[in-house]
Amino acid sequence: RKDMYQEWRGGTLPRMLEYSARNWPDNVAVRDDQGDTTYATLAQHVQRTKQGLLAAGILPGDHVAPFMSVGASWIELFFAVTSIGARLVPLNLTWVDDEIVRGLDMTDARYLVTGISHRGESLLDRIAPVLVELERDDRSNSALPRLEQVILTEPVPGGERWPDLATLSAKATTAQDVPRPKPDDIALLLLTSGATSFPKPAMLTHEAILAGVASYADGLEAGARDVFLHCTPNYHVGGINTMGLTLMRGATLRLMDWFSPEAAMQIIDREKVSLFWGFDTHYLEMRRHPSYENYDLSSVTRTMSGSNPATFDKIHEMGFGHIGGLYGSTEYMGSQAFFPYRDRFDIERMKYS
């Protein structure tokens, strides 16, 4: 375990998944409300999705922008795109209208892969301005001159004019292949800004992502028996880190497509979640919920916490023996400082870390 950070120097994201599928084929890799997916099955689904993307014309170096909820299909798309050598540009699911157009334009996205709905709202309605630009007779005057195609994650009535990933993957009977990506190839463009301006893309290579992920995995001492409750957006660096460190270690990634305090407590109690990431708000919303006393959260032994000393005592009183305070930035793939599990008995230092 102490060598994990060095082990993934010179690695790539698809090789990481292959490693996990080979070493823990029968472990549950991804669990959501639709069911469980083992590592072996996840690797098969990634290959199927990859063939669908190649059939759609996606090539190494292309920028592919997902606009979709966190679910098993997101995990499959993430590894399928990066295995082609294309670059992911996850879009913020809170964006509307011109924000979506602006995000696609500034990242030179050629393909938009959109889910159907999120939190009961139609994502197809949200991308209506994008569809208007694509349907212009004269694309030279379009606000999105480089965008070539919208791909749906699944077929929907009335969406027949756009290809969907499920059908593309099912019809891709002839296997295509492309050169494997290299460690220093760009895999991800994460849009980040703080709160002062419109987000701008931070470019992250395969190796940079793996180095950041491995540092968190080491600090948490994550292992193949762990269950990580993932309630972080896929367009945030925390969502990439928690996904990656879980799948790097053969653990189970328990997905929530958005955070609900009572739903999170139900999952922790029922499924014996051992790892959790959240800002102090996530923890305190659970603590302040009227049903808090009804749930046993003691299975959570290690955490990642974007909080501060002012809220530490309240979170510690919830019974979490390790509060992994962290500070990071998107450009550095998350971790610039993280309080590790091995130092958990130094309460004072953990509070002010």
Side-chain angles (χ1 to χ4, degrees):
R1 187 173 281 161
K2 67 182 180 181
D3 296 324
M4 182 61 85
Y5 177 85
Q6 295 296 326
E7 180 180 339
W8 284 109
R9 287 181 66 88
T12 64
L13 292 162
R15 285 193 183 278
M16 187 204 80
L17 183 62
E18 291 166 9
Y19 172 90
S20 297
R22 185 168 60 250
N23 284 277
W24 302 287
D26 299 324
N27 281 18
V28 174
V30 179
R31 174 177 296 145
D32 58 17
D33 292 339
Q34 281 65 55
D36 292 353
T37 304
T38 67
Y39 277 90
T41 301
L42 175 60
Q44 292 170 1
H45 288 181
V46 167
Q47 286 302 311
R48 182 184 65 192
T49 302
K50 174 183 176 181
Q51 293 304 316
L53 296 173
L54 289 169
I58 294 175
L59 297 171
D62 282 343
H63 292 191
V64 180
F67 189 58
M68 59 195 298
S69 295
V70 174
S73 59
W74 152 248
I75 308 297
E76 294 164 12
L77 182 71
F78 178 90
F79 284 100
V81 170
T82 54
S83 69
I84 290 173
R87 302 164 179 179
L88 276 164
V89 189
L91 298 182
N92 191 320
L93 280 168
T94 68
W95 282 352
V96 296
D97 301 335
D98 291 345
E99 292 173 317
I100 300 173
V101 172
R102 186 175 178 184
L104 289 167
D105 181 51
M106 73 183 305
T107 57
D108 293 337
R110 289 187 64 196
Y111 295 87
L112 170 63
V113 181
T114 182
I116 307 307
S117 63
H118 176 65
R119 302 187 70 167
E121 182 181 5
S122 170
L123 293 181
L124 299 182
D125 290 345
R126 295 265 297 281
I127 67 165
V130 177
L131 302 182
V132 169
E133 295 300 326
L134 274 178
E135 291 171 346
R136 288 181 181 273
D137 292 332
D138 183 3
R139 290 296 306 283
S140 64
N141 293 321
S142 171
L144 294 170
R146 288 171 292 278
L147 188 68
E148 293 185 7
Q149 186 64 275
V150 170
I151 301 174
L152 310 183
T153 54
E154 58 188 273
V156 293
E160 293 80 3
R161 69 184 186 279
W162 306 111
D164 68 87
L165 198 50
T167 302
L168 286 169
S169 300
K171 289 182 176 179
T173 55
T174 302
Q176 302 182 57
D177 211 351
V178 289
R180 279 181 172 273
K182 299 180 178 65
D184 58 355
D185 286 346
I186 295 170
L188 193 60
L189 280 75
L190 275 183
L191 290 144
T192 180
S193 66
T196 57
S197 65
F198 192 80
K200 298 174 180 61
M203 298 184 291
L204 298 163
T205 66
H206 286 257
E207 187 174 33
I209 293 169
L210 289 173
V213 164
S215 68
Y216 279 125
D218 288 345
L220 286 170
E221 300 183 20
R225 295 184 179 180
D226 280 316
V227 178
F228 201 124
L229 181 56
H230 179 292
C231 55
T232 318
N234 53 15
Y235 50 85
H236 187 274
V237 66
I240 305 300
N241 273 316
T242 53
M243 173 186 69
L245 77 88
T246 306
L247 299 180
M248 176 181 281
R249 291 295 177 86
T252 297
L253 187 67
R254 190 10 170 133
L255 300 177
M256 296 180 69
D257 52 0
W258 73 85
F259 178 76
S260 159
E262 184 164 27
M265 291 189 291
Q266 289 172 344
I267 293 170
I268 292 170
D269 189 355
R270 182 178 66 246
E271 302 181 24
K272 304 308 174 191
V273 167
S274 54
L275 303 174
F276 183 73
W277 183 101
F279 291 108
D280 44 11
T281 303
H282 293 91
Y283 295 94
L284 297 180
E285 282 194 6
M286 291 191 287
R287 180 64 186 89
R288 294 165 181 161
H289 195 278
S291 300
Y292 169 75
E293 299 293 343
N294 298 335
Y295 300 104
D296 179 5
L297 310 184
S298 63
S299 62
V300 177
T301 54
R302 286 146 291 161
T303 72
M304 299 165 69
S305 177
S307 56
N308 62 72
T311 55
F312 177 88
D313 291 337
K314 291 185 174 64
I315 298 173
H316 199 240
E317 288 168 2
M318 295 174 69
F320 299 122
H322 169 251
I323 300 172
L326 59 90
Y327 176 79
S329 63
T330 304
E331 293 83 353
Y332 286 90
M333 197 51 214
S335 180
Q336 288 160 292
F338 178 60
F339 191 84
Y341 178 65
R342 63 179 176 270
D343 293 339
R344 64 194 177 279
F345 298 114
D346 190 338
I347 305 299
E348 189 74 3
R349 192 157 64 90
M350 183 162 63
K351 178 175 182 176
Y352 291 103
S353 65

